[in-house]
Structures are given as structure tokens and as C-alpha cells.
Amino acid sequence: MRSFRNAALGLLGAAAVAAASDVHELKQDTFSDFIGKHDLVLAEFFAPWCGHCKALAPEYEEAATTLKEKEIPLAKVDCTAESELCSQYGVEGYPTLKVFRGADNITPYTGQRKAEAIISYMTKQSMPAVSLLDKDTLEDFKTADKVVLIAFFDATDKTSNETFGKVADGLRDSFLFGATSDAELAEKEGVKQPGVALYKTFDEGKNVFEDKFEQKQIEEFIGTSSIPLIGEVGPETYAGYMAAGIPLAYIFAETPEDRESLATTLKPVAEKHKGAVNFATIDAKAFGQHAGNLNLEVGKWPAFAIQETVKNQKFPLLPQDEKLTEKSVGKFVDDFVAGKIEPSVKSEPIPEKQEGPVTVVVAKNYQDIVLDEDKDVLIEFYAPWCGHCKALAPKYEELAQLYSPFSTQVTIAKVDATANDVPDDISGFPTIKLYPAGSKSSPVPYSGARTVEDLAAFVKENGKYGADAYAGTEDKDDEKAELKKKSAADEDSDDEKTDMPHQAPAATEKVAEKVKEAVKEKASEVKEAVKDAAVDSDSDAEDHDEL
């Protein structure tokens, strides 16, 4: 009886929470009307079993309550119940968030999945790119967000007005922009017209831009001044640091107290190099594995390293057992800025002999092979643990074998991107790029189906030499027709549903056997992944030791 009573009370409590929700739950028959009645709506397309959706739920609810006061509604759609509606709006993963300004003006939500970030982002979306300010509205606007930019220029200065407008249009998702032509306000704020003041809730609170009033200079000023002198690297901030375009210095420490202490110690170093190097602490307990990506030894804390984000070069401060002081770190950063330190390069040994049709690349021979101006080089960036890479392997070997007659013009190569530092931006595995002869600064990424025929066509179409891997082969037309037939069959198979790469027919029995083994292995991996997903679906969120 008691258990029944407790269960009943629990259900009543859940019902009360649901009734009190400020998030509007929409369905196929209510969605269009709701979007039509509101000028601005943020809609979340979710699945109840999705761990990331569960983690977002309380943040989304909090944001909805705050934004309700600003008449910016937040809505959600259960895609397991409203599959047709979700398909209509191109939902392919969960959660997907979209900003609606009517039925025809839809943009993806690109902010962070935290209440504060959602509130900030949607507040910006509700305002014009540049808000016109006066003496009555200036003070409130200055504190409307973590970072606010206000331009001061004469009412007749159309050029500055247009320039600032372009900056605001490009960055409106990230910052609030205001402007005033009141000369007295400019004088009061210590800004010479035309100029810009950046107000922030951290560090010194305010920075003034009085350089040449041009778009590029203003954007660079914002990029430098809007980032804390010593911030914190995490999943919510990592992309911003990478997008800043200047080197990032990591301070690894395990406890908040240690991170705060080191931030205080190294503040003078950060101040000295502001605008040249960004500084940030990082939780070594949660994200310690990232130290390995910077060629530091994982587990030895505290630690310090600089990443040249544009070139993806790493500069670890070694040895790690030395204490991090203002003097030791300061000298290291001084030498880095002066170009006196060589980047640390992680590399496997150069193979004594290339075995097999695919050329093995490591960091130490990357430039000699991939950047060889005389050859078209197709390179696969893979990870040994990647199931998709394993499935691709036999087809990639077959492709390399087909190109063996063109060895003076084309190289088919691969590199283990987990064991070698490469100068390429790799966002997932496998990543495939073609470096055409004579155009090494403009690699062409591959995004097609992972079939031998499609890869060969890609090399032919984008390489300098237009090498045709099938030219001169026996029964060329029949082989191509069979490949096309198999690829078409793959499109209708369960491979696509499980996100498995499509399998192309092998050229020999030996390769065919490898393909079968790869498919079996992949099927096993998918089966295990489904099991893991079922377990993970009961958790509130997924834990990640990554940025």
C-alpha cells in the first residue's frame, strides 16, 4: 500500500512539474500555428532516449522560464512521436535546435547548450544587429550581456556607420552591438569618435578601440578583448579559443584551487602577451587526456603547453616535474613568441620498407610524400580503433593497386593520425583528402561514398594528371557496371541505417575475403554499439574525456 501511495505521489509530482513547464511541447497539428503566432521561436527536436537531450532538458527549461519574460518562447518536439514533422525540417540527430522567424526563415542554433548561453543567444536574436542608444538606455545596455560593444561616431559619418554594421552582422550571434552619435556620451565614456568601447563582466571590465575604423581591425580587437585574460578551457569554450586564430597556452591542474593559484601566478605573463597568446586553465581530472595531444605526459600535473592553433603545432614545457613559476613560464612564452622554440613533433619511425600498395606516411616523412609537388597524393587520416577505417582498408588497398601503374603521378597513402602529428585539420575518422600536384596549399576534402569507383573518380576529377585507374584494364566497362550496380544496392541496404560504409566488390578472391571479414567485424561492432546505446540511454548524460 505504501509503495502504491509513493508511486502515486511520484506521478502527481511529475505531472505538477510537467504542468509548470515553460517549454511548449508541439505536435504536427500545432507546430505551424505556434510558429506563425510568434516573431521568434527556439525549437528543440529531441528523442526521449537521447542522453544529450536529457542533459539539455533542465538547462532548456531554465532558459525558457527566463526568456518567457522577454516574450521569446522555447518549444520542443518529440521526434519519436512526430517523425514526419522532424523529417520535414531535416532533423538527422538529437538534439537539433533551430531558430524560427516564421515558417520560411529558419536558422540552426549555434550556441552552447547551457541555460545562460541559450538566454544570451536568443536575446541577441531578438534584437537588431545594432541597437541605437541614448543617455537613457546606454547604462542598461552596457550590462545586458557578458560582452557588449558600443560604437561612438558622428551622425553624419556614414562610412563608420556602415563599417560597424558589417561587423555587427557578422558577429551578432556572439555579441550585443549598440551605437550612439551623442558626442557628450562619447566624451563621458572616454572614447574618441569614431571609436568602439567593449564592456565585459571580467578582467578590467572595459577596452577601448581607437585604431583605424576598418572592419578587419575592429574584428581583431573584438577577438582579443572579448576573451578573458586567463579563462577556462572546456567543451563550451574550446571552439571559441580555436576560432580566435592565435596560440593558446594551456595550464593543466587537477583542482579548482590549483587552477586559481596558477592563474594568479601567471597573470603577469598573460598580461605581457595579451593579443599574441591566449591563456587558459584546464581541468586535468576531466580532460587530462588532451595533454597527450599536446605531447605532454598524461598524469604529471601541473603542466603547461602552447598550441599554435592555426598550424596545429605543439610546444610542451618540459621537463614536467619542474615547478610552474612566473619566471620559468615567462621565459618559455618569451622564447615561443620570439620564434626560438622548435615545435614538438610526435612521429612513428619512418618505415624501412614500404610494404603493400598503400604508402605509409608518418610525421617525419609527411612533407616528403604528401607535399611532393610532382604527384597527386590521396591520403587517408585514420585511427587504429576506428571501425569505419577498418571497413575501408581492403577497398583502399584495392584502389592503391589500381593506381600502381601511375606510380610516377599518383600516390595513395595513409597516416595514423593518433600516433603522428599532422598539419591538417582532422575532425573525424577516416578523413580523406587529395593534395593535387602543384597545388599543395589547396587540398580537396573527399565527402563521397567510400567505394573504389567513387574514390578513383575523385582522384581523376581533382588531380592534376586526371589519371584514370580503370584505363587499360580488361573488361573495364563490365567492371564499372558491376561496381555501380553494387553501389546502388548498398544505398538500399541496412549499411546506411547503421552508418556503415558501403562495400564495393573486390577485384580478387583474396581481397573479397578481406571484405567479408571487415563486414563481419563491423557488424559485431554495430551490435556492441547497440548494446552500449541501450545502457547509455538510461544515464542522465554521457561522460567525455575530450574537448
Side-chain angles (χ1 to χ4, degrees):
M1 184 69 178
R2 180 177 296 176
S3 297
F4 174 80
R5 181 172 178 273
N6 288 342
L9 287 174
L11 289 172
L12 288 171
V17 171
S21 174
D22 289 318
V23 178
H24 303 267
E25 185 157 4
L26 304 179
K27 301 180 182 299
Q28 181 77 48
D29 57 351
T30 60
F31 191 87
S32 295
D33 287 343
F34 188 86
I35 295 299
K37 289 178 181 177
H38 298 88
D39 294 332
L40 181 67
V41 177
L42 177 63
E44 176 202 3
F45 298 88
F46 75 100
W49 47 259
C50 163
H52 291 298
C53 302
K54 292 178 182 179
L56 172 62
E59 304 288 344
Y60 201 66
E61 189 68 54
E62 182 183 339
T65 301
T66 300
L67 290 171
K68 180 180 179 181
E69 301 171 1
K70 301 183 180 183
E71 298 184 352
I72 304 174
L74 267 60
K76 63 181 180 180
V77 176
D78 181 351
C79 289
T80 62
E82 305 294 333
S83 58
E84 185 176 338
L85 178 61
C86 295
S87 177
Q88 178 183 340
Y89 290 103
V91 177
E92 297 180 348
Y94 309 116
T96 292
L97 290 93
K98 293 179 181 285
V99 178
F100 287 80
R101 290 185 176 85
D104 299 323
N105 189 347
I106 309 167
T107 56
Y109 171 84
T110 58
Q112 300 165 8
R113 296 175 186 172
K114 295 292 183 181
E116 185 179 12
I118 295 170
I119 294 166
S120 175
Y121 188 94
M122 293 307 296
T123 299
K124 297 182 185 75
Q125 296 298 312
S126 69
M127 302 175 71
V130 179
S131 299
L132 299 180
L133 308 172
D134 56 30
K135 63 181 180 180
D136 297 324
T137 57
L138 182 72
E139 288 302 318
D140 286 341
F141 192 82
K142 284 161 58 175
T143 58
D145 205 4
K146 281 187 173 182
V147 176
V148 173
L149 291 116
I150 301 177
F152 299 83
F153 41 72
D154 190 270
T156 61
D157 188 353
K158 293 183 179 180
T159 301
S160 296
N161 195 339
E162 290 176 1
T163 298
F164 192 68
K166 290 178 182 177
V167 173
D169 284 336
L171 299 174
R172 65 174 299 168
D173 289 351
S174 302
F175 306 105
L176 281 180
F177 291 87
T180 178
S181 58
D182 191 327
E184 290 185 7
L185 284 178
E187 184 177 356
K188 180 182 176 182
E189 296 298 319
V191 181
K192 182 181 178 181
Q193 294 179 311
V196 178
L198 183 147
Y199 301 89
K200 52 191 177 183
T201 59
F202 49 86
D203 294 344
E204 64 269 52
K206 177 183 176 182
N207 296 113
V208 176
F209 172 83
E210 293 179 331
D211 200 350
K212 192 173 182 180
F213 209 91
E214 293 184 354
Q215 183 176 348
K216 183 180 179 181
Q217 280 86 338
I218 297 173
E219 289 173 346
E220 289 178 350
F221 162 76
I222 294 172
T224 299
S225 303
S226 64
I227 295 178
L229 187 63
I230 299 182
E232 178 93 8
V233 176
E236 306 295 338
T237 60
Y238 181 76
Y241 279 114
M242 293 299 104
I246 63 176
L248 174 60
Y250 295 83
I251 305 166
F252 284 87
E254 289 188 290
T255 67
E257 294 76 18
D258 285 344
R259 292 194 291 277
E260 184 177 352
S261 175
L262 284 167
T264 301
T265 298
L266 301 179
K267 183 178 178 181
V269 183
E271 288 176 333
K272 179 179 179 180
H273 296 286
K274 183 176 181 179
V277 179
N278 282 328
F279 284 71
T281 60
I282 180 169
D283 186 343
K285 280 187 177 179
F287 307 111
Q289 291 302 317
H290 189 60
N293 297 331
L294 301 168
N295 297 348
L296 287 167
E297 182 178 341
V298 176
K300 278 193 173 183
W301 318 121
F304 184 89
I306 299 174
Q307 179 183 6
E308 213 299 344
T309 57
V310 176
K311 299 178 181 178
N312 193 27
Q313 294 176 331
K314 297 86 179 275
F315 300 82
L317 177 55
L318 304 172
Q320 285 177 236
D321 50 9
E322 290 188 2
K323 187 176 181 181
L324 298 182
T325 65
E326 179 185 344
K327 182 178 179 181
S328 63
V329 174
K331 184 180 185 308
F332 181 77
V333 179
D334 285 345
D335 290 343
F336 167 78
V337 172
K340 296 179 180 179
I341 303 178
E342 290 293 322
S344 169
V345 178
K346 178 171 62 178
S347 178
E348 294 178 297
I350 296 177
E352 294 183 5
K353 181 182 179 182
Q354 292 287 354
E355 298 181 357
V358 179
T359 300
V360 176
V361 172
V362 298
K364 291 179 179 179
N365 66 1
Y366 185 93
Q367 184 165 349
D368 294 338
I369 296 175
V370 181
L371 303 185
D372 181 352
E373 291 288 354
D374 296 329
K375 289 187 178 183
D376 293 332
V377 180
L378 184 74
I379 183 164
E380 175 204 1
F381 301 88
Y382 74 94
W385 44 259
C386 165
H388 292 298
C389 303
K390 293 176 182 177
L392 173 63
K395 291 180 283 184
Y396 204 65
E397 287 192 9
E398 182 184 343
L399 177 74
Q401 190 65 53
L402 286 171
Y403 272 103
S404 58
F406 301 89
S407 59
T408 59
Q409 297 178 325
V410 179
T411 297
I412 306 299
K414 65 179 181 180
V415 58
D416 180 351
T418 67
N420 297 276
D421 286 337
V422 293
D424 295 81
D425 181 21
I426 308 302
S427 58
F429 301 111
T431 290
I432 301 172
K433 295 183 180 183
L434 177 70
Y435 283 78
S439 302
K440 298 298 179 176
S441 61
S442 303
V444 185
Y446 180 74
S447 58
R450 297 179 191 138
T451 65
V452 178
E453 184 188 38
D454 285 328
L455 285 164
F458 175 73
V459 174
K460 178 183 176 182
E461 292 170 10
N462 296 280
K464 175 182 177 180
Y465 301 107
D468 185 355
Y470 291 97
T473 60
E474 295 181 2
D475 300 323
K476 177 177 64 178
D477 293 336
D478 291 342
E479 186 176 358
K480 283 189 174 182
E482 183 62 27
L483 283 166
K484 287 181 179 179
K485 183 178 178 182
K486 184 64 172 68
S487 294
D490 283 342
E491 292 294 334
D492 297 326
S493 72
D494 288 337
D495 281 358
E496 184 176 354
K497 296 176 184 177
T498 57
D499 197 29
M500 287 172 61
H502 303 312
Q503 299 292 336
T508 65
E509 291 183 3
K510 184 177 181 181
V511 176
E513 192 60 33
K514 290 183 180 179
V515 173
K516 289 179 182 178
E517 290 301 317
V519 172
K520 288 180 181 178
E521 182 178 352
K522 186 63 188 177
S524 176
E525 289 177 7
V526 171
K527 191 173 181 180
E528 290 301 315
V530 170
K531 285 183 181 179
D532 292 341
V535 175
D536 289 345
S537 67
D538 293 330
S539 65
D540 290 337
E542 299 175 15
D543 293 326
H544 295 278
D545 186 18
E546 61 184 37
L547 297 170

